[in-house]
Amino acid sequence: MRLLVLVPFLALALAQVPIGVNLPEGTSLSLSAEEVLFDLTQSAYPPPSFPYTYAPTLPQGPLTLRLFTNLEGGFAVEVEATPLLAEGGAEIPPGQVEYRLNGGPWIPLGPKVVLLTGSGPTPGYQSYVLELRLVLTGREVPGVYRGSLLFTLSRL
């Protein structure tokens, strides 16, 4: 008999509250290195013949490009390369830096190229292997050259 008396009280103890989620739009693009350096003083220079390609001194090995987007629709990752400039004004064009993505073909980098396209939302972070190399023709003058690479993730 006591069991019948407790059942109505348990039914009255239930409560309901609304729940909501406000999920913002988000994108993220990151690289595994902050600098790419070709230090030919640590390599066999001059090479046996030209043109000749050099891998970066730093980082040792390929870069990892990671991206995430929760936006619907297409996206593109672009990279814009500036010429490599020496203090005396000498220049190495950005096209002499080549890249390949996930073991694909080598492609000249500059001045602006689309590295990859896709559509979102992505299932979490996507990782890509990005390799760079420097192609020297033999006409470059000695110097310390500096430039930059600007990576952009944008909607299509």
Side-chain angles (χ1 to χ4, degrees):
M1 183 82 164
R2 286 187 179 174
L3 182 57
L4 294 175
V5 173
L6 291 177
V7 172
F9 289 117
L10 290 176
L12 295 175
L14 297 177
Q16 181 177 352
V17 294
I19 185 170
V21 175
N22 184 1
L23 187 63
E25 292 183 344
T27 58
S28 175
L29 180 65
S30 66
L31 288 169
S32 61
E34 293 182 13
E35 179 181 36
V36 177
L37 176 65
F38 297 92
D39 185 353
L40 302 188
T41 63
Q42 297 181 17
S43 301
Y45 191 87
S49 64
F50 289 98
Y52 196 81
T53 60
Y54 287 93
T57 311
L58 288 175
Q60 293 180 350
L63 290 96
T64 301
L65 178 95
R66 290 177 34 115
L67 73 89
F68 165 81
T69 181
N70 67 357
L71 304 177
E72 294 286 340
F75 63 83
V77 176
E78 296 177 312
V79 62
E80 186 172 353
T82 63
L84 301 171
L85 301 174
E87 288 182 14
E91 179 179 315
I92 297 175
Q96 283 186 239
V97 177
E98 295 181 338
Y99 78 94
R100 73 176 175 179
L101 197 62
N102 291 339
W106 289 100
I107 301 170
L109 190 56
K112 189 173 187 176
V113 296
V114 176
L115 287 180
L116 64 102
T117 59
S119 62
T122 58
Y125 279 90
Q126 303 295 296
S127 294
Y128 300 88
V129 176
L130 177 63
E131 296 174 89
L132 298 171
R133 69 182 186 182
L134 176 65
V135 180
L136 294 184
T137 63
R139 293 176 291 190
E140 297 82 11
V141 298
V144 176
Y145 293 81
R146 302 213 183 276
S148 64
L149 301 174
L150 176 63
F151 292 82
T152 307
L153 171 61
S154 59
R155 267 185 175 166
L156 293 179

